Each structure stands twice: as C-alpha cells, then as structure tokens.
Amino acid sequence: MVIIIGATGFIGMYTTEYFLAQGTEVVATGRNTQLGAKMEDMGARFVSFDMTNPADLEKLPTEGVEGVIVLAGLLPANATADLDDTENAAEYFEVNVVGLINVIEWCRKHGIRKVISTCSYSDVSGAWGKGYPITEDEPRDFKFTGDHAVYVISKNAANDVMEYYNQQHGMQCACFRFPPVYGVGPHGTILVNGKPYKSGIQTFIEKAQSGGTIELWGDPHISRDIVYVKDVARAFYLALASSDTSGLYNMTSGVGLDLEDQARAVIEVFGDGSGAQIAYRPDKPNNTPSFLYSMEKAKRDFGFEPEFTDYVTMMRDYREELESGRWDALVDSRKREA
C-alpha cells in the first residue's frame, strides 16, 4: 500500500493511476472531494485530508504502508496573494515545512521509513544558462525577490528537514526536484503574484488550433529541460521500490527543449492544417531561463530513465489524453474549488 498526500492535484492524479495500474493499493488524500470521488472510481481509497492539521493523520492507515508520497503544498502558481498587498511567507512555511514535518513524524512513529516529496528547480537558478548539466551537488543559489522566493526558501527548509530525519532517525526520505511538468491538468491558467495569466503551452496550443501566429520573443533557441507527467508518475513508483532512494533527485527529461522546436511541435500536433505560423520577435524581451539537469543519480539509484524525451511524441500523447475526456474533472477543478 502507498499513501499519496495531495493526490487530487495534477501530478497526484497521474501518480495514483500509475500505482493502481501496477496493482498497488492506494490511499489518496486531498481537499477536493469532487476529485476524490473520481479517484475512488479509479480504484483508490480517498481520504479528505489537510496535512497542516495533525488530527487528520489519524484518518490514515498504519499497517502495510510501503511509503508515503507528499505532493500537497503551496505553490506560487496556486497562491492567490498579491505580494504588492499581502505577504504570505508564513503560509508557505505552515504548509510546505510544518505540514511536511507532521507527515514525516507520523511516519517515523509508525515505522514507515520511505517518504518522497518535491521541491523547486529554482533553488539553483544561479547555475542556469552556464552550459553544463546541473547535478544534485550544485550549491544553492537563488533569488531572494519575486513570487517564487519564499516558496524556494520553504522548500529548501523542507529538504533539510528530510535529510535531518534520514541522518537522525534512519529514515529514507527523498525529494524530487521538478522543472516545468507537462501534461493535462488545471494549468491552462496560472497565477503570478496572485493574478491569473494564460500559460505558455496553452497559448501555443490555442494559436495552433485557430490558425494563428505563435510569436517567439527574444532568442528562439532558448533551451529548457522539462518533464512529462507520465514519466514523473513512473519515477515515484521506481523510487519507492528501491532501497537506495534517499536525498535529492533531479526529476527531468535530461534533454534540452529548444523554444522554436517546441512551437513547431505544437503546430504539427495541434494545427491540423490550420495554417498556424511562427513569427520571430527579437525586439521583444524574453526572460525565459535556459537550463539542463543531470539525470544520472535517479538512473543509478532506482533505474529511472525518462521515456518522453521527444517533444512531438509528448505532445501527441498530451493531445490523446486531452481528447479522451477522462481528465475533464481535473482540468475544470480550479473553476469549481479554490
């Protein structure tokens, strides 16, 4: 049995599905009861749960639990606070640090050694664009300004707490460092400083479908390392199965995606002869960072190698998932429940 905390989120839904497909019993927790009903239809046991409330931990089973995956957390893309008006630093720590400690301490008391959580790839943003694959040994170097700053700080603290439990209590805590994760979910719109903006991938898809023009601002060959959600779900499964999993792991494709190639792939997959075109706008500033992460540690410790490294293949699967309709409840979840 595996417990997935925050299972009603985008990554959580796919991860739950993958574990169930492998024949693993899943206890899925979350605060969205409508998506909880869908998870029970999938075959999971759903528990309404808030990890900042220690009393909720008593709802969870303690016998036969192989490990716990913690996907719940406060992220900038979901935070409604506008930093010009409201400072929400305490909330990040309440959820991302204290909430995680509640879970880990509960696991320790019940003899559950394996806990996997997630963290931000921005903790090493100072190494972006330097032309080498970033490893897990890269020293932290990040900005102390902007809507991601306190999020990164809180996740760094959470990582250190997990390592404390590894060394002090002999646990097997691990953390996946994610870049942008692509897949069908409720992220057509994201929040920046509490204000909604259409995501880049959503904009590209809509332009391709309507026969519009995809504008590439600045350098069209900016390269980023992304990962597909199905690879992430499989990685969680492999990591929990390994006795060597411990500490920080890059969880990416390990392959750079060129911005122009991304636009061309979206037009190929979603354009359907619409006549969509690319327009180059070197006069417009583009602050998109360039980065690449090494995947050697995950390969060594639990045999993970990403399958979706070709962007056209990824977009074809994305379209199939989108058109299947099976994730409609997930896509619409933000409209129904904050």
Side-chain angles (χ1 to χ4, degrees):
M1 178 195 302
V2 63
I3 299 173
I4 302 177
I5 295 176
T8 52
F10 157 55
I11 295 174
M13 295 284 278
Y14 273 92
T15 302
T16 297
E17 181 186 60
Y18 189 86
F19 273 88
L20 290 170
Q22 310 313 307
T24 304
E25 183 180 355
V26 177
V27 175
T29 86
R31 295 188 293 180
N32 188 319
T33 55
Q34 290 177 309
L35 288 180
K38 176 176 175 57
M39 306 203 82
E40 291 195 328
D41 289 342
M42 291 166 59
R45 172 188 164 192
F46 177 71
V47 176
S48 180
F49 182 86
D50 181 349
M51 69 179 183
T52 65
N53 180 9
D56 275 5
L57 289 159
E58 301 307 315
K59 301 177 182 179
L60 302 179
T62 59
E63 299 296 327
V65 179
E66 301 171 40
V68 176
I69 298 172
V70 182
L71 296 171
L74 181 62
L75 287 76
N78 298 326
T80 57
D82 183 343
L83 294 184
D84 292 334
D85 301 317
T86 305
E87 178 54 69
N88 61 343
E91 189 177 3
Y92 277 106
F93 274 80
E94 179 185 4
V95 177
N96 297 340
V97 183
V98 178
L100 179 66
I101 291 172
N102 290 338
V103 173
I104 296 176
E105 183 60 15
W106 176 85
C107 288
R108 183 185 73 83
K109 289 180 177 178
H110 292 286
I112 302 167
R113 294 185 62 241
K114 296 183 178 182
V115 180
I116 304 179
S117 186
T118 67
C119 65
S120 171
Y121 69 119
S122 298
D123 63 337
V124 289
S125 59
W128 291 350
K130 291 190 175 180
Y132 59 84
I134 299 169
T135 71
E136 291 82 356
D137 294 325
E138 184 74 27
R140 289 174 181 164
D141 184 0
F142 58 93
K143 295 180 179 179
F144 283 84
T145 58
D147 68 334
H148 276 66
V150 175
Y151 169 70
V152 173
I153 294 167
S154 71
K155 282 296 189 177
N156 287 345
N159 289 356
D160 291 344
V161 166
M162 296 181 86
E163 186 57 29
Y164 162 77
Y165 272 88
N166 286 348
Q167 296 192 26
Q168 181 68 21
H169 297 293
M171 294 189 67
Q172 194 179 338
C173 296
C175 185
F176 283 4
R177 177 197 271 156
F178 286 136
V181 180
Y182 279 28
V184 176
H187 36 244
T189 299
I190 59 175
L191 301 180
V192 179
N193 281 332
K195 298 180 176 64
Y197 293 87
K198 189 172 292 185
S199 66
I201 182 62
Q202 185 67 26
T203 300
F204 277 20
I205 289 173
E206 289 179 6
K207 291 290 186 181
Q209 291 173 329
S210 66
T213 299
I214 297 177
E215 291 191 355
L216 301 184
W217 293 9
D219 180 3
H221 300 297
I222 293 172
S223 178
R224 298 192 304 159
D225 189 350
I226 65 171
V227 66
Y228 194 50
V229 66
K230 288 186 177 181
D231 276 335
V232 168
R234 183 169 55 86
F236 278 123
Y237 181 82
L238 293 173
L240 274 187
S242 172
S243 60
D244 294 327
T245 303
S246 182
L248 176 66
Y249 292 92
N250 293 332
M251 190 45 56
T252 74
S253 68
V255 176
L257 172 62
D258 182 283
L259 181 60
E260 182 181 58
D261 290 342
Q262 182 178 11
R264 292 190 184 283
V266 171
I267 290 173
E268 177 180 337
V269 174
F270 287 92
D272 293 332
S274 67
Q277 297 182 348
I278 296 174
Y280 299 90
R281 296 297 305 273
D283 55 307
K284 292 280 191 178
N286 187 342
N287 297 319
T288 300
S290 178
F291 48 80
L292 180 66
Y293 288 81
S294 168
M295 289 302 300
E296 290 305 309
K297 185 181 177 185
K299 179 179 179 180
R300 181 195 71 208
D301 286 1
F302 49 90
F304 173 74
E305 294 190 62
E307 295 179 353
F308 291 88
T309 57
D310 174 74
Y311 196 67
V312 172
T313 302
M314 185 188 298
M315 285 295 96
R316 284 175 178 158
D317 192 83
Y318 187 112
R319 180 171 178 173
E320 288 179 9
E321 291 287 285
L322 189 64
E323 293 179 348
S324 72
R326 65 197 192 94
W327 301 113
D328 287 353
L330 176 61
V331 172
D332 295 337
S333 60
R334 183 172 291 162
K335 301 175 185 177
R336 296 195 308 266
E337 183 172 326

